[in-house]
Amino acid sequence: MSHSQIAPYGSWRSPITAALVATSGVSLNDVALDGDDIYWLEGRPAEGGRVVIVRRAANGTIADVTPPGFNVRTRVHEYGGAPYTVDQGVVYFSNFADHRVYRQQAGETPTPVTPEAPLRYADMTVDRGRNRLICVREDHSGDGEAVNAIVAVPLDGTTGQQVLVAGSDFYAHPRLSPDGTWLAWLSWNHPNMPWDAAELWVAPLREDGSPGTAERIAGGPDDAAFQPEWGPDGALYFVAERTGWWNLYRWHAGNVEALCPMEAEFGLPLWVFSARTYAVESAGRLVCTYIERGEQKMATLDTQSGMLTPLTLPFSDFGFSGPRAANGRVVFIGASSNTPSTLVMLDLASDALMTIRRSMDIQIDPGYISTPQVVEFPTEGGVTAFGFYYPPHNRDFRAPEGEKPPLLVLSHGGPTGATSASFDVGIQFWTSRGIAVMDVNYGGSTGFGRAYRQRLDGRWGVVDVDDCCNAATYLAAQGLADPARLIIAGGSAGGYTTLAALTFRRVFKAGASYYGVSDLEALARDTHKFESRYLDRLIGPYPERIDLYHARSPIHHIEQLNCPVIFLQGLEDRVVPPDQSERMAAALRTKGIPVAYLAFEGEQHGFRKAETIIRALEAELYFYARILGFEPADPVEPIQIDNL
């Protein structure tokens, strides 16, 4: 400390630049095993956000599978996920540009197996015995809502697709039994989201491959089913919520049994098709991840005794794509508070851990990394909420005596989602500059049981806002933040929480909304099918409770918003259209409140391009500096701030 320079919080020079945040690494997702080969997806901001399938061969050689010009993504449910599968060295994937499914054999050019049509595909599995893919299809050819179904797609590229299951609003996780005689799947209907009431169905397959009489074995109101997987012995494993917690179950010989009852979450909200929490390693053992009081762990589960054995690993977060396991080895993506996402392979017999791929090749000096602290704080109604507090940390700087740091409160998206303590270089961008961060798991977040998640039912824009405000005031009361320099930011649903907190409370001095919701009624009218009835539970039925939609929409209460806001928006966003940000910015501009609005061509719901990520992050820093009155250590390209 004696060699540290003294500089105000916010003005510390940091090696963690916006360019480093955007270009230093890749995203790792959706692991698959095919014999001794390991496959995964890499999202590459430096390639315009292109997603590529990568393969590690048994001999250790790593190479791209997807050739240039192809982008492995799907827009089923808009959020996509599970855009590929692999079987005996042949890869099948959804191409983002045309939504067609392509077949690619090793070393060959991909060839389409689906027609040119307004159809989207996801969550594929190969039915080898019938030479077909079974997958979720979303049909956008009609004038009304898209039509979802589970279909069979011939692998030879012929056009005759067979509809296997239809009639429900949504489907996910079609899973074929090892002997090819049974099909399992999830389905749910408006106004439910999958974490509200997804049902698990099974049906025998006839000789022509069509399902016979289907039986519902789990799920429904207050019991959302999740992730069916077949074991080698014909048992079907799944996650259900019968006790108020997502726990593991098994269906075998017509009977359902709980495997390991406990107050922990073995499931996740099904925002993307690739969400998984466990793998069947053998008939007698599962490898699973679970969340207990907001902390994620990995363990093996003996399927006969129910014994859960936690694994000792250098990771505290395992993401949403879960483990893959076979023949005594486990492949997964792990992270910790100081370790970026890393693809690793674990030998269950020897506990040997092999690193396959790091999301970041650049090593950041620990002297610039802030370690999160778990915080449990009081909130409205006499209950508690949770979050992770990141103090300012930079080995080269310290603040003047007596100065308290600005605090950036982060409200995660969803709102049915959660944040974790895994390494986030974006958070370190702020803390290494002398700005504290509080990442809040407000009421409605997952990882704390169904009751905690249901705190938000009918109270979106109230409970989440209260919890973010109380997190900030609690830390300020502890002397960990300057009460006069509290700011809030969030994206999507977190952007709505941000705007509602700035409009209806007097806690924060400024905020940043990334593609956030400002008009709940417009969202209910204009958003895509997957979320078109989401607000029925979070707010109330529309239009019957239009009074609540207006009462909680910041756009209708602009007279109450008197602090500066920066809006950052993708112009091709179908989830939260640009109009939501544009109207809000225009209203603030007219009112005379400092406001900035940045729109990005070619970006959708969530920024993927390196140049966008860099510009947005630097713009947000510049905005806070001008509003809170600190000088960034390095030059930042100015943005236009109206009314400043």
Side-chain angles (χ1 to χ4, degrees), residues 68-152:
F70 289 91
N71 186 2
V72 184
R73 285 179 58 195
T74 175
R75 285 182 60 187
V76 179
H77 296 175
E78 291 299 329
Y79 295 106
Y84 84 104
T85 191
V86 58
D87 181 63
Q88 294 183 319
V90 182
V91 173
Y92 305 87
F93 67 88
S94 168
N95 184 43
F96 184 67
D98 56 13
H99 304 297
R100 300 176 76 181
V101 175
Y102 286 75
R103 172 180 179 148
Q104 184 182 2
Q105 294 187 325
E108 297 185 5
T109 301
T111 57
V113 297
T114 59
E116 292 186 65
L119 304 170
R120 303 174 184 178
Y121 305 87
D123 218 351
M124 310 166 209
T125 188
V126 174
D127 184 355
R128 195 182 301 162
R130 301 177 180 89
N131 197 37
R132 63 182 186 172
L133 279 177
I134 297 176
C135 59
V136 176
R137 186 184 72 186
E138 192 170 78
D139 185 346
H140 289 258
S141 62
D143 294 331
E145 274 193 338
V147 177
N148 293 65
I150 295 175
V151 302

Side-chain angles (χ1 to χ4, degrees), residues 45-82:
E47 296 182 28
R50 188 170 82 101
V51 181
V52 177
I53 300 172
V54 184
R55 168 179 173 259
R56 180 190 184 274
N59 63 7
T61 303
I62 294 177
D64 289 357
V65 174
T66 318
F70 289 91
N71 186 2
V72 184
R73 285 179 58 195
T74 175
R75 285 182 60 187
V76 179
H77 296 175
E78 291 299 329
Y79 295 106

Side-chain angles (χ1 to χ4, degrees), residues 167-188:
S168 293
D169 291 321
F170 302 98
Y171 294 95
H173 290 177
R175 297 292 185 263
L176 186 68
S177 64
D179 62 4
T181 62
W182 285 82
L183 183 68
W185 68 89
L186 298 177
S187 67
W188 65 97

Side-chain angles (χ1 to χ4, degrees), residues 329-354:
R329 63 176 184 159
V330 187
V331 182
F332 62 92
I333 298 165
S336 70
S337 61
N338 55 14
T339 305
S341 294
T342 306
L343 179 65
V344 298
M345 181 166 61
L346 171 68
D347 186 296
L348 291 172
S350 66
D351 293 332
L353 199 63
M354 174 192 296

Side-chain angles (χ1 to χ4, degrees), residues 562-641:
N562 295 301
C563 65
V565 186
I566 180 173
F567 296 86
L568 304 111
Q569 178 71 46
L571 290 177
E572 295 182 16
D573 194 337
R574 289 275 294 115
V575 178
V576 180
D579 178 67
Q580 292 265 346
S581 293
E582 292 166 358
R583 291 168 56 207
M584 198 73 182
L588 284 173
R589 200 174 292 120
T590 299
K591 191 178 179 184
I593 302 297
V595 60
Y597 174 68
L598 280 76
F600 299 97
E601 294 278 357
E603 292 286 8
Q604 299 162 33
H605 196 65
F607 299 157
R608 293 175 177 269
K609 299 178 182 179
E611 59 268 29
T612 302
I613 297 167
I614 293 169
R615 182 58 174 152
L617 199 52
E618 289 185 343
E620 190 180 354
L621 173 62
Y622 180 85
F623 186 79
Y624 294 153
R626 293 300 306 275
I627 299 303
L628 298 184
F630 62 83
E631 190 68 32
D634 297 308
V636 178
E637 183 181 350
I639 60 170
Q640 178 178 329
I641 304 177

Side-chain angles (χ1 to χ4, degrees), residues 26 115 191 270 299 310 343 367 369 397 405 458 469 480 498 500 524 530 637:
V26 298
L270 195 59
L343 179 65
I369 296 177
F397 290 91
C469 291
L480 299 175
T498 291
F530 181 62
E637 183 181 350

Side-chain angles (χ1 to χ4, degrees), residues 413-424:
T416 307
T419 188
S420 73
S422 63
F423 181 83
D424 186 334

